[in-house]
Amino acid sequence: MFMKKVLMLCAFVMSVCFANAQDGAKQNIIKVNPIGFLFGAGSVAYERALNDKSSIVVAPQFGGFKFGGVKYSSAGLGAQYRLYFSKSHVAPEGFYAAPNVSFISGKIKYDDVFEEGEESEDKFSSFGIGALAGNQWVFNSGFVIDVNAGFSYQSFNYKGDATTGLKGNGVFPRVGFAIGYNF
């Protein structure tokens, strides 16, 4: 079900991109976080300028790794509304502030240390709300660099074999780096 929503979102984004491509305006950016891929997490973001001083960002997120007897996987979606403050540039370029929200759902499977061949599974979900400040550079070639930092309040809910009823929440720092293409 989640993949179907992600595919529908991608189809919508592509239709907006191609509809805008004819007027020559460069209001769209597609970007990825290359550092996240090194740690088993990925994010592909689409940013669309709404006017000279604001944009929206939609970022499907996914994660996964296997380490020893533990297998982790997750999927989610993040969204931002960016306000650009630069007087010499128009959105989506320059210094910005961005309130944001996110939702992630996933599971952790692990080998049971007491029962040979048995596997346990825990599921989790997380809702977050936060704020970022950053700068985005758009070069004449279309190459984009985005660097930001901020915080996010995350609320976690766990359900499963070992963590039934476990809940958690807190304020966490966020640091972001992405590279992309402006078109």
Side-chain angles (χ1 to χ4, degrees):
M1 184 68 166
F2 178 77
M3 274 312 269
K4 188 175 183 179
K5 290 180 182 180
V6 169
L7 291 173
M8 293 292 287
L9 176 65
C10 290
F12 171 74
V13 167
M14 294 306 288
S15 67
V16 168
C17 294
F18 290 124
N20 187 49
Q22 296 174 0
D23 66 9
K26 292 189 172 191
Q27 300 174 326
N28 303 294
I29 295 178
I30 293 284
K31 52 192 161 187
V32 297
N33 175 352
I35 297 171
F37 288 111
L38 297 174
F39 297 101
S43 173
V44 178
Y46 170 72
E47 181 172 359
R48 168 93 175 158
L50 299 174
N51 55 45
D52 287 351
K53 296 296 179 191
S54 67
S55 71
I56 57 169
V57 178
V58 178
Q61 304 164 357
F62 54 91
F65 65 84
K66 187 172 184 179
F67 184 74
V70 177
K71 183 178 179 184
Y72 167 87
S73 61
S74 67
L77 186 65
Q80 299 176 15
Y81 176 75
R82 290 187 173 184
L83 296 169
Y84 284 87
F85 299 106
S86 178
K87 292 182 181 183
S88 61
H89 302 289
V90 296
E93 183 175 13
F95 179 75
Y96 63 85
N100 59 73
V101 296
S102 65
F103 177 79
I104 299 173
S105 179
K107 61 184 169 181
I108 305 167
K109 290 183 179 182
Y110 50 94
D111 295 336
D112 193 328
V113 295
F114 300 111
E115 302 276 340
E116 186 72 29
E118 293 293 318
E119 191 174 79
S120 298
E121 179 178 283
D122 290 322
K123 294 182 181 182
F124 68 91
S125 60
S126 173
F127 175 76
I129 186 166
L132 295 171
N135 200 78
Q136 186 158 261
W137 295 270
V138 178
F139 298 93
N140 289 337
S141 65
F143 182 71
V144 174
I145 297 175
D146 184 5
V147 178
N148 58 57
F151 65 91
S152 180
Y153 173 81
Q154 295 289 137
S155 175
F156 294 92
N157 188 12
Y158 299 91
K159 192 185 307 182
D161 300 331
T163 59
T164 302
L166 181 64
K167 294 183 180 184
N169 54 50
V171 176
F172 298 93
R174 288 187 56 182
V175 177
F177 172 75
I179 57 173
Y181 185 72
N182 176 234
F183 56 98

